[in-house]
Amino acid sequence: MKNEKMYDIDFNRPTIVGKELFYISQAIHEGHSAGDAAFTKKCHAYLEQALQVPRVLLTTSCTHALEMSALLLDIQPGDEVIVPSFTFVSTPNAFVLRGAKPVFVDIRPDTLNMDETKLEQLITERTRAIVPVHYAGVGCEMDTICAIASKYNIPIVEDNAHGLFGKYKGRYLGTFGTFATQSFHETKNFICGEGGALIINDSRCIERAEIIREKGTNRSRFFRGQVDKYTWVDIGSSFLISDLLAAFLYAQLEARDEIQAKRQKIWHYYNDHLQDWAEGKGVQLPTVPAHCEQSYHMFYMLLPSLEYRQALISHLKARGILAVFHYLPLNLSDMGRKYGGRAGDCPVTEDVSDRLLRLPFYNDLEEADLACVVQAIKEFDPWYSPLAS
Ligand SMILES: *Cc1c(COP(=O)(O)O)cnc(C)c1O
């Protein structure tokens, strides 16, 4: 069965669950497709209620929600922001855009989250924010991170792109930081193509967040009848999502239980069926500490070596199964090096980045597909496969 394609299983496939198209047409028929119309308000109310947070504002992306956080924190040139070295570029970029210097903290070898034991030594006079990323929707060690942040009076911004509805010690991810950011990009649990949200946990920041999101105007207050005209009052930009996309998103949020149940099933299928194989091969499956309820965002494995991973990717690809690696160490990227990043700064990230493989993961994966993936993995023998040479 050399290079013969046997299955066709994508890594990700955006799926709709229910009323997405109906709600989009409803938004069009009602004549409101710009931002902050009926469906945006429904999404805000849904998320505020579900997470019990003071304010949620939908944005065009998680990247933009991170940029809003940097504006709200008045990040200035020369400020330092601590971010994990194993994350998406937007986590540091949003702050770098304001002139900040990213300071990379290595990750834990078990959860692949920011290593909280290495955090305090990176804090300086110039540190203005700590940005934990809840990798794969498993909570960072927030007790320690919050304690360090409050000791030095440094705000936390949670990049919670993976972790919507995950919990740390019974408390929702996204409710710990001054701000938290969500993504509704088509690769995330809840989607609308491109979209995001800023969660504001400090009520004192709500009004300024509304202004920054509305091009620096007090238009939100005007619409609530709190001022009789709106005008330019601060810096800002256009961070509002179209109500057509909010309509898409609202249908997804309404199907929260269905979506999360499907993803939970997929995650456990992989975990249960790969356990023995992984033990035999020295492969590490995801660690979810007992005090964390994960969001079932992805399933990854840590393979014994880079060569092993590349050979397994090829082996699966030959069978029509797309499995992919993930973040490259940011400290070793072109931009990271400009800010002083060097090889060896973040040894766990540098090691894990080479060995991590993500398996196909999307809501509509059937059990038969999952069985194919698992079987194909078990058939892989790196030392005898013709693809390994
Ligand atoms: C997807 C992702 C982002 C960016 O989300 P967008 O909505 O595409 O801007 C940021 N951070 C992390 C950790 C992500 O996974």
Side-chain angles (χ1 to χ4, degrees):
M1 57 181 127
K2 303 283 175 306
N3 283 313
E4 188 182 323
K5 194 161 162 174
M6 297 168 67
Y7 319 116
D8 193 4
I9 304 178
D10 288 330
F11 170 68
N12 179 63
R13 204 179 276 177
T15 51
I16 61 174
V17 276
K19 293 185 170 170
E20 287 88 346
L21 297 174
F22 174 69
Y23 285 160
I24 290 170
S25 62
Q26 199 175 322
I28 295 167
H29 287 307
E30 283 169 9
H32 299 290
S33 55
D36 275 344
F39 283 104
T40 304
K41 292 197 171 105
K42 280 180 195 284
C43 291
H44 289 171
Y46 183 95
L47 289 167
E48 284 161 12
Q49 170 70 33
L51 303 173
Q52 288 293 299
V53 292
R55 193 79 172 103
V56 174
L57 295 172
L58 291 194
T59 56
T60 30
S61 64
C62 179
T63 302
H64 270 167
L66 287 162
E67 287 177 27
M68 281 185 68
S69 307
L71 289 166
L72 284 157
L73 294 176
D74 273 320
I75 299 293
Q76 300 295 320
D79 288 350
E80 293 176 6
V81 173
I82 301 179
V83 298
S85 43
F86 192 63
T87 182
F88 189 60
V89 292
S90 294
T91 318
N93 223 356
F95 299 88
V96 168
L97 264 177
R98 312 307 310 155
K101 175 189 175 199
V103 174
F104 300 108
V105 58
D106 204 2
I107 54 172
R108 295 171 56 109
D110 53 0
T111 56
L112 314 189
N113 279 327
M114 166 181 280
D115 186 342
E116 71 285 354
T117 66
K118 296 187 178 145
L119 182 57
E120 194 163 7
Q121 69 208 52
L122 296 174
I123 291 174
T124 73
E125 294 273 273
R126 307 236 53 175
T127 309
R128 292 291 176 273
I130 297 169
V131 193
V133 176
H134 305 298
Y135 186 73
V138 175
C140 294
E141 282 308 316
M142 294 313 290
D143 279 353
T144 308
I145 295 169
C146 292
I148 294 169
S150 70
K151 177 173 165 191
Y152 294 93
N153 200 19
I154 298 168
I156 291 174
V157 178
E158 296 171 76
D159 180 340
N160 195 31
H162 301 179
L164 185 57
F165 304 131
K167 287 181 177 174
Y168 172 82
K169 296 194 174 171
R171 183 169 154 191
Y172 279 116
L173 303 180
T175 66
F176 293 86
T178 305
F179 305 112
T181 63
Q182 303 297 151
S183 176
F184 305 114
H185 183 264
E186 71 169 25
T187 52
K188 304 303 196 295
N189 290 29
F190 298 87
I191 63 170
C192 64
E194 297 274 0
L198 179 70
I199 296 175
I200 302 159
N201 293 311
D202 181 341
S203 306
R204 291 169 300 181
C205 301
I206 294 173
E207 189 176 337
R208 186 151 188 250
E210 290 175 347
I211 289 168
I212 286 173
R213 179 166 162 272
E214 269 284 18
K215 302 98 183 164
T217 72
N218 55 355
R219 188 164 163 174
S220 299
R221 298 197 72 198
F222 171 72
F223 281 132
R224 285 197 295 263
Q226 293 165 331
V227 286
D228 59 6
K229 56 185 179 305
Y230 80 87
T231 183
W232 185 20
V233 294
D234 201 339
I235 57 169
S237 191
S238 183
F239 293 118
L240 285 80
I241 193 173
S242 158
D243 217 51
L244 302 183
L245 293 178
F248 189 147
L249 180 62
Y250 187 62
Q252 294 259 312
L253 293 174
E254 272 190 333
R256 167 185 170 179
D257 292 342
E258 185 187 335
I259 289 174
Q260 290 302 80
K262 283 181 175 173
R263 300 184 76 93
Q264 180 173 6
K265 235 177 110 186
I266 294 166
W267 194 94
H268 283 292
Y269 187 97
Y270 281 139
N271 201 51
D272 295 347
H273 290 81
L274 289 170
Q275 201 90 58
D276 291 344
W277 169 84
E279 267 171 37
K281 299 277 180 188
V283 171
Q284 184 185 328
L285 299 185
T287 304
V288 184
H291 55 272
C292 292
E293 288 168 48
Q294 62 158 320
S295 64
Y296 301 104
H297 175 56
M298 71 167 92
F299 192 89
Y300 67 83
M301 313 192 286
L302 290 175
L303 302 165
S305 67
L306 173 65
E307 294 70 28
Y308 192 114
R309 180 186 71 185
Q310 298 311 96
L312 179 54
I313 290 176
S314 305
H315 166 88
L316 294 173
K317 200 170 177 189
R319 283 157 178 74
I321 298 167
L322 211 59
V324 298
F325 55 89
H326 210 187
Y327 307 128
L328 301 175
L330 286 177
N331 56 305
L332 301 183
S333 64
D334 289 355
M335 277 296 276
R337 284 178 191 275
K338 275 191 196 165
Y339 290 100
R342 282 184 318 263
D345 284 349
C346 300
V348 180
T349 301
E350 291 165 34
D351 171 47
V352 157
S353 172
D354 278 347
R355 298 191 291 113
L356 188 141
L357 184 68
R358 294 181 291 160
L359 298 183
F361 206 114
Y362 52 88
N363 303 341
D364 285 357
L365 264 178
E366 305 280 344
E367 196 159 313
D369 302 326
L370 295 168
C372 290
V373 176
V374 167
Q375 194 194 333
I377 290 170
K378 289 182 175 171
E379 283 167 6
F380 172 62
D381 186 336
W383 314 124
Y384 294 100
S385 167
L387 293 161
S389 54

